[in-house]
Amino acid sequence: MVENAALVEHVEWPGSTEPPVPTRWARFGLDTLPVNRRRWLIAVVVIALLITLIGLLLVVGAWRDDKWIESRPGVQTAEVLSTAFDRTVVRFNTPDGAVHIPIDGVLYPQGLSAGQLVRVEYDSLHPDALVRVAGRTYTLTFLPVGMILAITWAIAAGLIWWLRRPTPTGPTPATR
């Protein structure tokens, strides 16, 4: 019971001279906000942090895929079979004569069109798993991820500002 005393907001009794006990939200300056606004504020921050984490994991995953390709490199000319929003499919032959069509498509396919011939780099141990357009690396993920994070935090900053605004102290027009 005593350990929870700091979590309970202090009630001012008439004639009381005790200073108010800070709540757990005072550290963040949120102790004066209504509970609903505080909950929405926490939700906005958590969602923005999750989107940031996903974006960072996307860049790290692209970097890891590039390192795997660079550890056992193979280079061939591939034909672009189809391009779509979610993937670009290519077909290429490896030195052993096998034809490979990676099911997940090619990494970094910007600017490719069906029927085009393009140099690809692939993981020679798993040529159907990791294939990228030659000369392109994970650094191409910085711009789209950076834009998503900038937009996310711009929206979050606006919502945070709006949720932290002071509440009106006087009567509202509906209650007059």
Side-chain angles (χ1 to χ4, degrees):
M1 180 90 171
V2 173
E3 59 273 357
N4 291 333
L7 301 178
V8 177
E9 293 185 25
H10 182 73
V11 178
E12 288 290 327
W13 296 100
S16 173
T17 59
E18 295 179 25
V21 178
T23 67
R24 63 180 166 185
W25 302 108
R27 168 180 340 157
F28 304 108
L30 303 178
D31 55 339
T32 59
L33 289 179
V35 175
N36 284 339
R37 276 199 194 178
R38 193 179 309 147
R39 287 180 182 155
W40 278 104
L41 185 68
I42 291 168
V44 166
V45 171
V46 166
I47 290 169
L49 287 172
L50 285 174
I51 292 172
T52 301
L53 178 65
I54 290 168
L56 293 175
L57 288 175
L58 180 68
V59 172
V60 169
W63 172 80
R64 185 204 59 193
D65 289 347
D66 282 355
K67 290 300 172 194
W68 281 350
I69 290 172
E70 291 165 3
S71 68
R72 298 176 297 263
V75 179
Q76 288 295 328
T77 300
E79 176 188 3
V80 179
L81 299 177
S82 68
T83 58
F85 173 74
D86 58 342
R87 68 185 180 139
T88 299
V89 180
V90 297
R91 175 179 53 211
F92 63 95
N93 297 330
T94 52
D96 63 359
V99 176
H100 296 279
I101 303 173
I103 193 155
D104 293 328
V106 66
L107 299 173
Y108 322 120
Q110 297 88 347
L112 299 181
S113 58
Q116 183 178 3
L117 295 179
V118 64
R119 288 294 272 178
V120 293
E121 298 169 342
Y122 60 93
D123 179 357
S124 60
L125 195 57
H126 304 287
D128 286 325
L130 290 174
V131 181
R132 71 178 179 196
V133 176
R136 298 182 184 179
T137 64
Y138 76 99
T139 57
L140 292 174
T141 62
F142 290 161
L143 182 63
V145 170
M147 290 298 295
I148 289 170
L149 294 182
I151 291 168
T152 297
W153 282 104
I155 292 170
L159 287 172
I160 290 168
W161 172 82
W162 184 73
L163 289 167
R164 290 194 64 172
R165 74 191 190 287
T167 55
T169 56
T172 60
T175 60
R176 286 186 193 167

